[in-house]
Amino acid sequence: MSAPRLPELGSINEPWGPPTKVPEHLRFNDVPYAPFSKGDKLGKVADWAADGVKDGKDQKRQQHGRGFRDPYHAYGASAASFFTSEEAENNIASFSVVDSAKQPSKPKPQNAVLKTRGGGGAGGRGGATASQSMRGGQRGGGAYRQFDRNPRYNRPGRGRFGWKDYDKPQKNRNASVNIADDWRLVQTVGFNELQKLSFDVGTRGEDIDAYGYVYNYNKSLDKPGANTKLQQLERVMYNVTTSDDPVIQQLADAGAGTIFATDSILALLMCTTKTFNPWDIVINKRGDKIFLDKREGGPLDYVSVDENAMDPPPDATDKENINSAAALSLEATYINHNFGANAVLESDATRHDLGKPNPFHSSEDPLLAQGYRYRKFNLAASAEDEPINLVVRAKVDAVQPGVAGEPTYVTLQALNEYGGQNGVLEWKNKFVNQRGAIVAAEMKNNLAKLSRWTVESMLAGAKAMKIGFISRASPKDNTQHVVVGVLGRDPQQFSTQLNINVNNGWGIVKSIINITNELDDGKYVLIKDPNTPHIKFYNVPENAFDDE
């Protein structure tokens, strides 16, 4: 048997396999490439049941929900259009499927029984139908009634929080003062840094002098459900800035202190981290003296409305809009002035003189009764250090009998209801039975304003705050108002409810003073940024606000 013969091997010059050079007719020239993944499924040639695609991102979010992955082009979605022509796209866009089948009529809905823990069926004492519950239901109520009563979901004067309210655009506010080109930015401080500050003054303040007179508080306003009409009384009121106060000028010349301010300016600084609206404070440094002033006609001359609300009043340019932010602020200021005159008993028997006459009034016009207490606080780090006295002019509005029979000072403020966006006035009907819900809503919507009022009362040494709740007589009339009730609070206790950190407030004041002491003499402006939680320190010319 002969041995098997093996085939002859080719030469090395002609190896087996594809040629080293690809012919021209086999090359992939001008062929689009689409990225792919081995895990992708093959798509359909045509899907007549799918809706038209407006936007791939919107389709995933609205039609398919979170975490959806396109089964047709999950990996190479952006490259799918390479294989389509413009003519084909136009034909597809103009194509539609018409469903000519007759739609069955929907059956009339039956009254669904709403079962509660009390048991019972439709119309029973323990439960009610859905239609009955929307009208208030029967005795025993259901979930609808509980929902309407819950102040968390149905706040007085405010709409319910909807599922799209979180997506509303943020309100862009304008700065309280125009920043000129020649202003020099000195420093910017964020609210997160201010919240870390703390300084303990340690004392309640020392009285220096007192001016003006006040009357007894009218206790008849404390009666719930009185609905007393707010009388329009013509009274002269003064809100003089620090540098123009003749008493402060005398105290500065006498060396009673090195820092001078009013209670409204100091309270605004101490409550900086609770504010949203823009504001500004003018700081004048003259040698070793620092004066904290306000601008004439600036934010400190008016009362804000719903500053901390989820949906604050709009900055409308229409002058006829009585619910714009500017119109409501002017209305709130007018209400506060009139409430101060309506809440006291004006007579010679109830008048209390604080010592010296009003330092600002010199005409024959009737004066709004107010008392001014000039007090000083020591901002030194310790008792052994040299005193750093801060002199404050604090205002009181009335007096009432104290525990031992001695008169105690009272401050008067007012909150106003304008109806909100829906134009519904609810305080007159709900203040007696739902006062807690109304107060809680106002503490949320006007946190900055209430905090400032509380700090002002503490600086003045007042033992009581009287906050009037004023509602419009008609939603479309901002000139006639009704006092629906008055809330009395102790400033120390109310500060705890509002979560006011007094030591943090003094720390902010101390920090501003330290920054000013390191600067040269001149005029400076402290500005709250209108849209970010920051305060900015500017050096301005001496004639910056002479035209105002």
Side-chain angles (χ1 to χ4, degrees), residues 5 123-125 145 176 186 290 298 314 368 408 437 453 474 511 542:
R5 296 182 59 183
R125 185 173 181 178
R145 295 182 62 192
S176 59
V186 177
I290 298 176
L368 179 64
T408 58
W453 288 346
S474 173
S511 177
E542 288 291 339

Side-chain angles (χ1 to χ4, degrees), residues 114 124-125 127-149:
L114 180 64
R125 185 173 181 178
T129 63
S131 59
Q132 291 171 340
S133 297
M134 293 300 291
R135 297 192 301 267
Q138 298 182 359
R139 297 179 62 185
Y144 286 99
R145 295 182 62 192
Q146 296 296 331
F147 183 85
D148 291 339
R149 288 180 180 178

Side-chain angles (χ1 to χ4, degrees), residues 118-436:
R125 185 173 181 178
T129 63
S131 59
Q132 291 171 340
S133 297
M134 293 300 291
R135 297 192 301 267
Q138 298 182 359
R139 297 179 62 185
Y144 286 99
R145 295 182 62 192
Q146 296 296 331
F147 183 85
D148 291 339
R149 288 180 180 178
N150 194 337
R152 178 182 177 185
Y153 301 100
N154 189 14
R155 297 183 178 92
R158 308 296 301 175
R160 294 177 182 171
F161 185 79
W163 67 279
K164 276 191 175 181
D165 286 353
Y166 72 94
D167 201 22
K168 289 183 178 179
Q170 184 180 3
K171 177 182 178 181
N172 291 324
R173 297 177 170 89
N174 297 323
S176 59
V177 61
N178 295 326
I179 301 175
D181 296 335
D182 55 350
W183 290 17
R184 181 175 61 87
L185 180 62
V186 177
Q187 190 170 351
T188 301
V189 184
F191 281 13
N192 56 345
E193 299 177 11
L194 296 177
Q195 291 173 349
K196 301 176 183 178
L197 302 176
S198 180
F199 184 76
D200 187 9
V201 174
T203 61
R204 296 181 178 271
E206 179 183 347
D207 292 337
I208 300 177
D209 213 339
Y211 292 77
Y213 64 92
V214 292
Y215 292 108
N216 283 357
Y217 170 71
N218 187 4
K219 292 185 177 181
S220 63
L221 295 177
D222 293 338
K223 182 180 179 181
N227 289 340
T228 307
K229 181 180 179 181
L230 185 68
Q231 301 293 332
Q232 300 180 10
L233 303 176
E234 295 293 336
R235 297 290 186 272
V236 178
M237 179 183 176
Y238 295 92
N239 188 16
V240 181
T241 187
T242 307
S243 298
D244 296 339
D245 189 333
V247 179
I248 288 183
Q249 293 177 2
Q250 296 175 5
L251 295 175
D253 295 338
T258 56
I259 309 161
F260 302 89
T262 62
D263 54 352
S264 59
I265 296 175
L266 199 60
L268 178 60
L269 282 178
M270 297 177 70
C271 301
T272 295
T273 56
K274 298 181 183 296
T275 59
F276 277 85
N277 289 347
W279 49 264
D280 58 90
I281 295 175
V282 181
I283 302 176
N284 291 290
K285 184 181 180 184
R286 305 168 187 170
D288 60 341
K289 303 291 192 302
I290 298 176
F291 296 85
L292 305 179
D293 290 300
K294 68 175 184 65
R295 288 189 304 109
E296 188 69 25
L300 285 169
D301 286 337
Y302 299 95
V303 180
S304 62
V305 178
D306 288 353
E307 177 178 350
N308 302 89
M310 291 289 296
D311 192 9
D315 294 328
T317 57
D318 184 11
K319 296 182 179 180
E320 301 297 330
N321 185 5
I322 62 175
N323 290 336
S324 64
L328 289 174
S329 179
L330 186 62
E331 179 184 357
T333 306
Y334 163 82
I335 289 174
N336 271 267
H337 293 173
N338 279 276
F339 179 71
N342 281 255
V344 295
L345 301 173
E346 295 184 349
S347 66
D348 295 338
T350 60
R351 173 169 170 165
H352 294 264
D353 292 308
L354 273 69
K356 299 179 181 180
N358 191 304
F360 314 118
H361 186 64
S362 59
S363 63
E364 299 296 331
D365 297 331
L367 177 67
L368 179 64
Q370 288 182 335
Y372 303 98
R373 304 183 68 188
Y374 292 85
R375 317 181 74 204
K376 66 178 180 180
F377 299 84
N378 186 8
L379 300 184
S382 62
E384 292 78 12
D385 296 340
E386 183 180 356
I388 305 176
N389 290 326
L390 168 64
V391 178
V392 182
R393 185 191 73 212
K395 177 178 64 68
V396 292
D397 302 297
V399 293
Q400 67 178 5
V403 178
E406 297 181 358
T408 58
Y409 293 112
V410 179
T411 58
L412 302 175
Q413 291 86 16
L415 297 169
N416 60 305
E417 182 192 27
Y418 61 96
Q421 295 181 351
N422 52 12
V424 178
L425 302 175
E426 298 180 340
W427 286 4
K428 288 182 285 188
N429 299 327
K430 296 185 178 181
F431 187 80
V432 177
N433 298 326
Q434 301 184 19
R435 186 176 67 172

Side-chain angles (χ1 to χ4, degrees), residues 447-465:
L447 177 62
K449 178 169 63 176
L450 289 172
S451 300
R452 289 170 53 189
W453 288 346
T454 305
V455 173
E456 290 176 11
S457 302
M458 297 171 65
L459 292 174
K463 300 299 182 181
M465 297 174 58

Side-chain angles (χ1 to χ4, degrees), residues 3-18:
R5 296 182 59 183
L6 297 176
E8 296 181 0
L9 298 176
S11 63
I12 300 177
N13 296 331
E14 297 180 0
W16 177 86

